[in-house]
Amino acid sequence: KAGVTQTPRYLIKTRGQQVTLSCSPISGHRSVSWYQQTPGQGLQFLFEYFSETQRNKGNFPGRFSGRQFSNSRSEMNVSTLELGDSALYLCASSPLSDEQFFGPGTRLTVL
Amino acid sequence: QKEVEQDPGPLSVPEGAIVSLNCTYSNSAFQYFMWYRQYSRKGPELLMYTYSSGNKEDGRFTAQVDKSSKYISLFIRDSQPSDSATYLCAMSNPSGGSYIPTFGRGTSLIVHP
């Protein structure tokens, strides 16, 4: 069974731009979660989608948004990028959301 | 104070050593406890998954949960250079059907030959 895939793997943007990241979950998994990982803060939960509905949300500003499509694929969007948004963005899929299966992540650098 | 505390290390040990990795937590409602391993430039992968207090063994890995002390551990026996990675603890409190885990910051482990 194919694992979680994320595109792109690397991205360089400048302050003020926006970015969209994509995640394809493991086939059959309906829950998709997004995390931000930085050396200083570790792994922080952004939001979770289940059957196209946002079910849980972390403590991030409204510049961070996401959505899930009917085929369970998910996207997250960050608008008005700031230097502090530089991080590894991880997507995880789960059949129920307790066991999280992570993708390789998208490394975002904001200049 | 963060809900889950984990020493970032690095922890450097010789090959063959027994490694002990630990996390403490403050939320007594946590019921599910997990350990993830993350290699450089990769996403975390689930190593161990336990429910409530007690021990769970899987090959060279043993996960231990002490809910009374709010303390969890991961032991690695006969450590190998391939075990060099960052180990993240995670725990969750099922609520409303969602089990979104709270992660520790991770401990960097280096096993040198």
Side-chain angles (χ1 to χ4, degrees), chain B residues 28-71:
Chain B
S28 58
F30 285 138
Q31 294 184 39
Y32 294 88
F33 303 89
M34 293 146 276
W35 285 95
Y36 285 82
R37 177 175 62 194
Q38 185 175 21
Y39 290 114
S40 181
R41 303 186 184 281
K42 302 276 190 180
E45 58 176 323
L46 182 65
L47 264 182
M48 301 286 284
Y49 180 94
T50 56
Y51 172 72
S52 199
S53 286
N55 291 2
K56 182 176 181 180
E57 190 173 317
D58 184 1
R60 296 184 296 112
F61 299 89
T62 300
Q64 191 174 79
V65 175
D66 182 349
K67 292 190 72 179
S68 62
S69 301
K70 298 192 185 70
Y71 189 88

mmCIF file of all heavy atoms in Angstrom, chain B residues 28-71:
data_model
loop_
_atom_site.group_PDB
_atom_site.id
_atom_site.type_symbol
_atom_site.label_atom_id
_atom_site.label_comp_id
_atom_site.label_asym_id
_atom_site.label_seq_id
_atom_site.Cartn_x
_atom_site.Cartn_y
_atom_site.Cartn_z
ATOM 1 N N SER B 28 -3.407 14.629 33.055
ATOM 2 C CA SER B 28 -3.722 13.279 33.538
ATOM 3 C C SER B 28 -4.791 12.583 32.689
ATOM 4 O O SER B 28 -5.052 11.399 32.864
ATOM 5 C CB SER B 28 -4.177 13.329 35.006
ATOM 6 O OG SER B 28 -5.300 14.182 35.129
ATOM 7 N N ALA B 29 -5.416 13.315 31.764
ATOM 8 C CA ALA B 29 -6.441 12.715 30.906
ATOM 9 C C ALA B 29 -5.853 11.924 29.737
ATOM 10 O O ALA B 29 -6.569 11.206 29.058
ATOM 11 C CB ALA B 29 -7.371 13.801 30.368
ATOM 12 N N PHE B 30 -4.551 12.065 29.504
ATOM 13 C CA PHE B 30 -3.939 11.313 28.403
ATOM 14 C C PHE B 30 -4.097 9.813 28.657
ATOM 15 O O PHE B 30 -3.851 9.324 29.760
ATOM 16 C CB PHE B 30 -2.451 11.651 28.261
ATOM 17 C CG PHE B 30 -2.185 12.995 27.645
ATOM 18 C CD1 PHE B 30 -1.196 13.824 28.157
ATOM 19 C CD2 PHE B 30 -2.900 13.426 26.547
ATOM 20 C CE1 PHE B 30 -0.938 15.064 27.595
ATOM 21 C CE2 PHE B 30 -2.649 14.670 25.970
ATOM 22 C CZ PHE B 30 -1.663 15.483 26.498
ATOM 23 N N GLN B 31 -4.506 9.103 27.620
ATOM 24 C CA GLN B 31 -4.734 7.663 27.759
ATOM 25 C C GLN B 31 -3.929 6.838 26.761
ATOM 26 O O GLN B 31 -3.637 5.674 27.024
ATOM 27 C CB GLN B 31 -6.217 7.358 27.540
ATOM 28 C CG GLN B 31 -7.125 7.941 28.600
ATOM 29 C CD GLN B 31 -8.561 7.509 28.371
ATOM 30 O OE1 GLN B 31 -8.818 6.375 27.994
ATOM 31 N NE2 GLN B 31 -9.487 8.411 28.606
ATOM 32 N N TYR B 32 -3.622 7.421 25.603
ATOM 33 C CA TYR B 32 -2.872 6.707 24.583
ATOM 34 C C TYR B 32 -1.477 7.306 24.505
ATOM 35 O O TYR B 32 -1.318 8.530 24.483
ATOM 36 C CB TYR B 32 -3.570 6.808 23.226
ATOM 37 C CG TYR B 32 -4.905 6.109 23.186
ATOM 38 C CD1 TYR B 32 -6.057 6.773 23.564
ATOM 39 C CD2 TYR B 32 -4.999 4.786 22.790
ATOM 40 C CE1 TYR B 32 -7.287 6.133 23.544
ATOM 41 C CE2 TYR B 32 -6.216 4.135 22.758
ATOM 42 C CZ TYR B 32 -7.361 4.814 23.136
ATOM 43 O OH TYR B 32 -8.565 4.177 23.118
ATOM 44 N N PHE B 33 -0.475 6.426 24.415
ATOM 45 C CA PHE B 33 0.907 6.877 24.440
ATOM 46 C C PHE B 33 1.662 6.249 23.282
ATOM 47 O O PHE B 33 1.555 5.053 23.029
ATOM 48 C CB PHE B 33 1.556 6.511 25.780
ATOM 49 C CG PHE B 33 0.806 7.075 26.955
ATOM 50 C CD1 PHE B 33 -0.223 6.353 27.553
ATOM 51 C CD2 PHE B 33 1.103 8.334 27.445
ATOM 52 C CE1 PHE B 33 -0.939 6.882 28.626
ATOM 53 C CE2 PHE B 33 0.403 8.873 28.514
ATOM 54 C CZ PHE B 33 -0.619 8.153 29.106
ATOM 55 N N MET B 34 2.410 7.075 22.585
ATOM 56 C CA MET B 34 3.081 6.629 21.378
ATOM 57 C C MET B 34 4.526 7.099 21.343
ATOM 58 O O MET B 34 4.872 8.110 21.969
ATOM 59 C CB MET B 34 2.351 7.207 20.148
ATOM 60 C CG MET B 34 0.959 6.662 19.956
ATOM 61 S SD MET B 34 -0.184 7.886 19.253
ATOM 62 C CE MET B 34 -0.688 8.779 20.710
ATOM 63 N N TRP B 35 5.331 6.375 20.638
ATOM 64 C CA TRP B 35 6.696 6.781 20.335
ATOM 65 C C TRP B 35 6.871 6.740 18.814
ATOM 66 O O TRP B 35 6.512 5.757 18.167
ATOM 67 C CB TRP B 35 7.726 5.865 20.992
ATOM 68 C CG TRP B 35 7.853 6.106 22.461
ATOM 69 C CD1 TRP B 35 7.214 5.447 23.466
ATOM 70 C CD2 TRP B 35 8.680 7.101 23.086
ATOM 71 N NE1 TRP B 35 7.595 5.970 24.684
ATOM 72 C CE2 TRP B 35 8.490 6.976 24.484
ATOM 73 C CE3 TRP B 35 9.573 8.076 22.613
ATOM 74 C CZ2 TRP B 35 9.155 7.793 25.402
ATOM 75 C CZ3 TRP B 35 10.227 8.877 23.520
ATOM 76 C CH2 TRP B 35 10.022 8.743 24.893
ATOM 77 N N TYR B 36 7.416 7.837 18.302
ATOM 78 C CA TYR B 36 7.711 7.939 16.884
ATOM 79 C C TYR B 36 9.219 8.094 16.709
ATOM 80 O O TYR B 36 9.905 8.686 17.539
ATOM 81 C CB TYR B 36 7.026 9.168 16.268
ATOM 82 C CG TYR B 36 5.540 9.014 16.054
ATOM 83 C CD1 TYR B 36 4.642 9.208 17.100
ATOM 84 C CD2 TYR B 36 5.035 8.692 14.800
ATOM 85 C CE1 TYR B 36 3.285 9.068 16.893
ATOM 86 C CE2 TYR B 36 3.668 8.554 14.587
ATOM 87 C CZ TYR B 36 2.807 8.745 15.645
ATOM 88 O OH TYR B 36 1.460 8.619 15.438
ATOM 89 N N ARG B 37 9.709 7.580 15.590
ATOM 90 C CA ARG B 37 11.111 7.743 15.227
ATOM 91 C C ARG B 37 11.149 8.576 13.950
ATOM 92 O O ARG B 37 10.399 8.332 13.003
ATOM 93 C CB ARG B 37 11.772 6.383 14.985
ATOM 94 C CG ARG B 37 13.214 6.431 14.525
ATOM 95 C CD ARG B 37 13.778 5.028 14.432
ATOM 96 N NE ARG B 37 13.058 4.235 13.445
ATOM 97 C CZ ARG B 37 13.157 2.907 13.358
ATOM 98 N NH1 ARG B 37 13.933 2.235 14.208
ATOM 99 N NH2 ARG B 37 12.490 2.260 12.425
ATOM 100 N N GLN B 38 12.035 9.562 13.937
ATOM 101 C CA GLN B 38 12.148 10.424 12.767
ATOM 102 C C GLN B 38 13.598 10.511 12.327
ATOM 103 O O GLN B 38 14.444 11.051 13.044
ATOM 104 C CB GLN B 38 11.602 11.827 13.064
ATOM 105 C CG GLN B 38 11.574 12.736 11.845
ATOM 106 C CD GLN B 38 10.913 14.082 12.123
ATOM 107 O OE1 GLN B 38 10.811 14.522 13.268
ATOM 108 N NE2 GLN B 38 10.450 14.754 11.080
ATOM 109 N N TYR B 39 13.863 9.987 11.148
ATOM 110 C CA TYR B 39 15.194 10.126 10.559
ATOM 111 C C TYR B 39 15.281 11.489 9.888
ATOM 112 O O TYR B 39 14.275 12.098 9.513
ATOM 113 C CB TYR B 39 15.448 9.026 9.540
ATOM 114 C CG TYR B 39 15.623 7.649 10.134
ATOM 115 C CD1 TYR B 39 14.701 6.635 9.895
ATOM 116 C CD2 TYR B 39 16.712 7.356 10.951
ATOM 117 C CE1 TYR B 39 14.859 5.372 10.428
ATOM 118 C CE2 TYR B 39 16.871 6.095 11.501
ATOM 119 C CZ TYR B 39 15.938 5.109 11.238
ATOM 120 O OH TYR B 39 16.112 3.858 11.782
ATOM 121 N N SER B 40 16.512 11.948 9.703
ATOM 122 C CA SER B 40 16.739 13.243 9.087
ATOM 123 C C SER B 40 16.066 13.313 7.711
ATOM 124 O O SER B 40 16.151 12.365 6.922
ATOM 125 C CB SER B 40 18.246 13.480 8.950
ATOM 126 O OG SER B 40 18.499 14.720 8.385
ATOM 127 N N ARG B 41 15.377 14.397 7.467
ATOM 128 C CA ARG B 41 14.705 14.657 6.188
ATOM 129 C C ARG B 41 13.572 13.677 5.874
ATOM 130 O O ARG B 41 13.210 13.478 4.717
ATOM 131 C CB ARG B 41 15.707 14.667 5.028
ATOM 132 C CG ARG B 41 16.823 15.667 5.203
ATOM 133 C CD ARG B 41 17.717 15.766 3.981
ATOM 134 N NE ARG B 41 18.839 16.652 4.208
ATOM 135 C CZ ARG B 41 18.775 17.960 4.156
ATOM 136 N NH1 ARG B 41 17.629 18.562 3.894
ATOM 137 N NH2 ARG B 41 19.844 18.699 4.373
ATOM 138 N N LYS B 42 13.040 13.049 6.921
ATOM 139 C CA LYS B 42 11.902 12.140 6.751
ATOM 140 C C LYS B 42 10.790 12.542 7.708
ATOM 141 O O LYS B 42 11.015 13.297 8.667
ATOM 142 C CB LYS B 42 12.317 10.697 7.062
ATOM 143 C CG LYS B 42 13.464 10.171 6.226
ATOM 144 C CD LYS B 42 12.974 9.647 4.905
ATOM 145 C CE LYS B 42 14.082 8.904 4.184
ATOM 146 N NZ LYS B 42 13.632 8.387 2.884
ATOM 147 N N GLY B 43 9.584 12.015 7.463
ATOM 148 C CA GLY B 43 8.505 12.223 8.415
ATOM 149 C C GLY B 43 8.606 11.216 9.544
ATOM 150 O O GLY B 43 9.264 10.181 9.425
ATOM 151 N N PRO B 44 7.984 11.495 10.686
ATOM 152 C CA PRO B 44 7.995 10.538 11.807
ATOM 153 C C PRO B 44 7.290 9.239 11.438
ATOM 154 O O PRO B 44 6.327 9.250 10.666
ATOM 155 C CB PRO B 44 7.221 11.282 12.907
ATOM 156 C CG PRO B 44 7.236 12.717 12.513
ATOM 157 C CD PRO B 44 7.265 12.734 11.022
ATOM 158 N N GLU B 45 7.781 8.130 11.996
ATOM 159 C CA GLU B 45 7.119 6.836 11.800
ATOM 160 C C GLU B 45 6.788 6.253 13.170
ATOM 161 O O GLU B 45 7.587 6.347 14.109
ATOM 162 C CB GLU B 45 7.997 5.873 11.003
ATOM 163 C CG GLU B 45 9.343 5.595 11.611
ATOM 164 C CD GLU B 45 10.156 4.562 10.863
ATOM 165 O OE1 GLU B 45 9.557 3.588 10.359
ATOM 166 O OE2 GLU B 45 11.387 4.740 10.787
ATOM 167 N N LEU B 46 5.624 5.664 13.280
ATOM 168 C CA LEU B 46 5.168 5.127 14.549
ATOM 169 C C LEU B 46 5.967 3.889 14.931
ATOM 170 O O LEU B 46 6.088 2.947 14.162
ATOM 171 C CB LEU B 46 3.674 4.782 14.456
ATOM 172 C CG LEU B 46 3.029 4.258 15.724
ATOM 173 C CD1 LEU B 46 3.026 5.325 16.809
ATOM 174 C CD2 LEU B 46 1.592 3.814 15.430
ATOM 175 N N LEU B 47 6.535 3.913 16.143
ATOM 176 C CA LEU B 47 7.321 2.785 16.656
ATOM 177 C C LEU B 47 6.503 1.937 17.626
ATOM 178 O O LEU B 47 6.472 0.719 17.532
ATOM 179 C CB LEU B 47 8.547 3.311 17.406
ATOM 180 C CG LEU B 47 9.883 3.430 16.701
ATOM 181 C CD1 LEU B 47 10.924 3.926 17.701
ATOM 182 C CD2 LEU B 47 10.314 2.124 16.072
ATOM 183 N N MET B 48 5.932 2.605 18.599
ATOM 184 C CA MET B 48 5.239 1.905 19.673
ATOM 185 C C MET B 48 3.948 2.646 20.003
ATOM 186 O O MET B 48 3.898 3.874 19.948
ATOM 187 C CB MET B 48 6.101 1.829 20.933
ATOM 188 C CG MET B 48 7.430 1.126 20.752
ATOM 189 S SD MET B 48 7.255 -0.656 20.624
ATOM 190 C CE MET B 48 6.952 -1.111 22.338
ATOM 191 N N TYR B 49 2.962 1.882 20.400
ATOM 192 C CA TYR B 49 1.645 2.452 20.707
ATOM 193 C C TYR B 49 1.106 1.689 21.909
ATOM 194 O O TYR B 49 0.966 0.472 21.863
ATOM 195 C CB TYR B 49 0.742 2.275 19.488
ATOM 196 C CG TYR B 49 -0.651 2.803 19.616
ATOM 197 C CD1 TYR B 49 -0.965 4.082 19.174
ATOM 198 C CD2 TYR B 49 -1.673 2.014 20.140
ATOM 199 C CE1 TYR B 49 -2.253 4.565 19.270
ATOM 200 C CE2 TYR B 49 -2.961 2.499 20.234
ATOM 201 C CZ TYR B 49 -3.250 3.778 19.793
ATOM 202 O OH TYR B 49 -4.528 4.260 19.885
ATOM 203 N N THR B 50 0.830 2.395 23.000
ATOM 204 C CA THR B 50 0.334 1.723 24.192
ATOM 205 C C THR B 50 -0.876 2.467 24.746
ATOM 206 O O THR B 50 -1.044 3.667 24.533
ATOM 207 C CB THR B 50 1.414 1.649 25.288
ATOM 208 O OG1 THR B 50 1.867 2.980 25.578
ATOM 209 C CG2 THR B 50 2.594 0.816 24.849
ATOM 210 N N TYR B 51 -1.655 1.717 25.467
ATOM 211 C CA TYR B 51 -2.836 2.286 26.114
ATOM 212 C C TYR B 51 -2.693 2.083 27.612
ATOM 213 O O TYR B 51 -2.443 0.974 28.074
ATOM 214 C CB TYR B 51 -4.101 1.618 25.602
ATOM 215 C CG TYR B 51 -5.345 2.007 26.356
ATOM 216 C CD1 TYR B 51 -5.897 3.285 26.208
ATOM 217 C CD2 TYR B 51 -5.971 1.108 27.229
ATOM 218 C CE1 TYR B 51 -7.029 3.654 26.905
ATOM 219 C CE2 TYR B 51 -7.107 1.482 27.925
ATOM 220 C CZ TYR B 51 -7.633 2.750 27.763
ATOM 221 O OH TYR B 51 -8.748 3.117 28.448
ATOM 222 N N SER B 52 -2.789 3.157 28.374
ATOM 223 C CA SER B 52 -2.750 3.128 29.828
ATOM 224 C C SER B 52 -1.391 2.677 30.356
ATOM 225 O O SER B 52 -0.408 2.631 29.638
ATOM 226 C CB SER B 52 -3.878 2.244 30.363
ATOM 227 O OG SER B 52 -4.112 2.554 31.722
ATOM 228 N N SER B 53 -1.319 2.339 31.616
ATOM 229 C CA SER B 53 -0.044 2.024 32.253
ATOM 230 C C SER B 53 0.443 0.624 31.917
ATOM 231 O O SER B 53 -0.323 -0.236 31.516
ATOM 232 C CB SER B 53 -0.190 2.146 33.771
ATOM 233 O OG SER B 53 -0.246 3.494 34.162
ATOM 234 N N GLY B 54 1.760 0.432 32.107
ATOM 235 C CA GLY B 54 2.333 -0.889 31.886
ATOM 236 C C GLY B 54 3.448 -0.872 30.865
ATOM 237 O O GLY B 54 3.900 0.192 30.446
ATOM 238 N N ASN B 55 3.907 -2.054 30.518
ATOM 239 C CA ASN B 55 5.007 -2.222 29.567
ATOM 240 C C ASN B 55 4.523 -2.883 28.300
ATOM 241 O O ASN B 55 3.574 -3.683 28.318
ATOM 242 C CB ASN B 55 6.100 -3.107 30.172
ATOM 243 C CG ASN B 55 6.833 -2.421 31.312
ATOM 244 O OD1 ASN B 55 6.513 -1.301 31.672
ATOM 245 N ND2 ASN B 55 7.793 -3.112 31.874
ATOM 246 N N LYS B 56 5.192 -2.538 27.192
ATOM 247 C CA LYS B 56 4.939 -3.205 25.922
ATOM 248 C C LYS B 56 6.268 -3.409 25.222
ATOM 249 O O LYS B 56 7.051 -2.463 25.125
ATOM 250 C CB LYS B 56 3.998 -2.382 25.043
ATOM 251 C CG LYS B 56 3.657 -3.054 23.712
ATOM 252 C CD LYS B 56 2.664 -2.234 22.950
ATOM 253 C CE LYS B 56 2.296 -2.902 21.633
ATOM 254 N NZ LYS B 56 1.310 -2.092 20.870
ATOM 255 N N GLU B 57 6.510 -4.628 24.774
ATOM 256 C CA GLU B 57 7.787 -4.948 24.156
ATOM 257 C C GLU B 57 7.588 -5.301 22.691
ATOM 258 O O GLU B 57 6.612 -5.970 22.309
ATOM 259 C CB GLU B 57 8.420 -6.137 24.897
ATOM 260 C CG GLU B 57 9.848 -6.428 24.511
ATOM 261 C CD GLU B 57 10.470 -7.507 25.403
ATOM 262 O OE1 GLU B 57 10.252 -7.463 26.631
ATOM 263 O OE2 GLU B 57 11.137 -8.401 24.869
ATOM 264 N N ASP B 58 8.545 -4.849 21.861
ATOM 265 C CA ASP B 58 8.522 -5.181 20.442
ATOM 266 C C ASP B 58 9.963 -5.264 19.971
ATOM 267 O O ASP B 58 10.598 -4.231 19.722
ATOM 268 C CB ASP B 58 7.750 -4.119 19.653
ATOM 269 C CG ASP B 58 7.622 -4.480 18.175
ATOM 270 O OD1 ASP B 58 8.117 -5.554 17.761
ATOM 271 O OD2 ASP B 58 7.027 -3.685 17.418
ATOM 272 N N GLY B 59 10.475 -6.474 19.921
ATOM 273 C CA GLY B 59 11.861 -6.653 19.516
ATOM 274 C C GLY B 59 12.814 -6.011 20.506
ATOM 275 O O GLY B 59 12.757 -6.280 21.705
ATOM 276 N N ARG B 60 13.647 -5.119 20.019
ATOM 277 C CA ARG B 60 14.620 -4.455 20.908
ATOM 278 C C ARG B 60 14.014 -3.254 21.644
ATOM 279 O O ARG B 60 14.691 -2.626 22.454
ATOM 280 C CB ARG B 60 15.824 -3.985 20.078
ATOM 281 C CG ARG B 60 16.623 -5.106 19.429
ATOM 282 C CD ARG B 60 17.858 -4.582 18.703
ATOM 283 N NE ARG B 60 17.531 -3.712 17.580
ATOM 284 C CZ ARG B 60 17.775 -2.414 17.527
ATOM 285 N NH1 ARG B 60 18.360 -1.792 18.562
ATOM 286 N NH2 ARG B 60 17.459 -1.700 16.459
ATOM 287 N N PHE B 61 12.772 -2.952 21.366
ATOM 288 C CA PHE B 61 12.127 -1.767 21.940
ATOM 289 C C PHE B 61 11.122 -2.158 23.029
ATOM 290 O O PHE B 61 10.353 -3.098 22.864
ATOM 291 C CB PHE B 61 11.397 -0.979 20.845
ATOM 292 C CG PHE B 61 12.300 -0.469 19.754
ATOM 293 C CD1 PHE B 61 12.571 -1.238 18.633
ATOM 294 C CD2 PHE B 61 12.896 0.781 19.866
ATOM 295 C CE1 PHE B 61 13.419 -0.765 17.628
ATOM 296 C CE2 PHE B 61 13.728 1.257 18.866
ATOM 297 C CZ PHE B 61 13.998 0.485 17.756
ATOM 298 N N THR B 62 11.167 -1.403 24.131
ATOM 299 C CA THR B 62 10.192 -1.562 25.209
ATOM 300 C C THR B 62 9.653 -0.195 25.576
ATOM 301 O O THR B 62 10.432 0.725 25.862
ATOM 302 C CB THR B 62 10.824 -2.214 26.447
ATOM 303 O OG1 THR B 62 11.328 -3.509 26.108
ATOM 304 C CG2 THR B 62 9.802 -2.351 27.569
ATOM 305 N N ALA B 63 8.336 -0.071 25.554
ATOM 306 C CA ALA B 63 7.686 1.171 25.978
ATOM 307 C C ALA B 63 7.102 0.942 27.366
ATOM 308 O O ALA B 63 6.516 -0.098 27.651
ATOM 309 C CB ALA B 63 6.602 1.565 24.994
ATOM 310 N N GLN B 64 7.288 1.934 28.204
ATOM 311 C CA GLN B 64 6.813 1.837 29.586
ATOM 312 C C GLN B 64 6.004 3.087 29.913
ATOM 313 O O GLN B 64 6.416 4.212 29.597
ATOM 314 C CB GLN B 64 8.028 1.742 30.501
ATOM 315 C CG GLN B 64 7.751 1.376 31.932
ATOM 316 C CD GLN B 64 9.071 1.163 32.681
ATOM 317 O OE1 GLN B 64 9.734 2.105 33.080
ATOM 318 N NE2 GLN B 64 9.449 -0.092 32.845
ATOM 319 N N VAL B 65 4.850 2.898 30.534
ATOM 320 C CA VAL B 65 3.991 4.010 30.914
ATOM 321 C C VAL B 65 3.715 3.935 32.407
ATOM 322 O O VAL B 65 3.286 2.892 32.908
ATOM 323 C CB VAL B 65 2.664 3.980 30.136
ATOM 324 C CG1 VAL B 65 1.727 5.077 30.642
ATOM 325 C CG2 VAL B 65 2.904 4.140 28.640
ATOM 326 N N ASP B 66 3.941 5.022 33.106
ATOM 327 C CA ASP B 66 3.620 5.124 34.519
ATOM 328 C C ASP B 66 2.675 6.320 34.677
ATOM 329 O O ASP B 66 3.121 7.460 34.809
ATOM 330 C CB ASP B 66 4.884 5.314 35.341
ATOM 331 C CG ASP B 66 4.598 5.386 36.840
ATOM 332 O OD1 ASP B 66 3.417 5.499 37.225
ATOM 333 O OD2 ASP B 66 5.545 5.341 37.632
ATOM 334 N N LYS B 67 1.385 6.058 34.657
ATOM 335 C CA LYS B 67 0.407 7.146 34.705
ATOM 336 C C LYS B 67 0.400 7.839 36.064
ATOM 337 O O LYS B 67 0.105 9.026 36.161
ATOM 338 C CB LYS B 67 -0.988 6.637 34.358
ATOM 339 C CG LYS B 67 -1.140 6.206 32.907
ATOM 340 C CD LYS B 67 -2.596 5.942 32.558
ATOM 341 C CE LYS B 67 -3.389 7.227 32.467
ATOM 342 N NZ LYS B 67 -4.803 6.971 32.093
ATOM 343 N N SER B 68 0.730 7.120 37.121
ATOM 344 C CA SER B 68 0.713 7.744 38.452
ATOM 345 C C SER B 68 1.788 8.820 38.539
ATOM 346 O O SER B 68 1.614 9.835 39.219
ATOM 347 C CB SER B 68 0.906 6.697 39.538
ATOM 348 O OG SER B 68 2.165 6.062 39.406
ATOM 349 N N SER B 69 2.899 8.613 37.843
ATOM 350 C CA SER B 69 3.990 9.601 37.850
ATOM 351 C C SER B 69 3.948 10.505 36.632
ATOM 352 O O SER B 69 4.771 11.426 36.526
ATOM 353 C CB SER B 69 5.351 8.885 37.897
ATOM 354 O OG SER B 69 5.461 8.073 39.031
ATOM 355 N N LYS B 70 3.041 10.242 35.703
ATOM 356 C CA LYS B 70 2.947 10.992 34.442
ATOM 357 C C LYS B 70 4.295 10.950 33.728
ATOM 358 O O LYS B 70 4.897 11.992 33.392
ATOM 359 C CB LYS B 70 2.479 12.426 34.683
ATOM 360 C CG LYS B 70 1.094 12.535 35.298
ATOM 361 C CD LYS B 70 0.589 13.976 35.236
ATOM 362 C CE LYS B 70 -0.726 14.151 35.928
ATOM 363 N NZ LYS B 70 -0.627 14.023 37.384
ATOM 364 N N TYR B 71 4.757 9.739 33.481
ATOM 365 C CA TYR B 71 6.108 9.533 32.976
ATOM 366 C C TYR B 71 6.078 8.353 32.022
ATOM 367 O O TYR B 71 5.525 7.301 32.349
ATOM 368 C CB TYR B 71 7.013 9.217 34.184
ATOM 369 C CG TYR B 71 8.488 9.175 33.919
ATOM 370 C CD1 TYR B 71 9.253 10.327 34.006
ATOM 371 C CD2 TYR B 71 9.123 7.971 33.631
ATOM 372 C CE1 TYR B 71 10.620 10.293 33.813
ATOM 373 C CE2 TYR B 71 10.495 7.936 33.423
ATOM 374 C CZ TYR B 71 11.233 9.100 33.531
ATOM 375 O OH TYR B 71 12.595 9.067 33.330
#
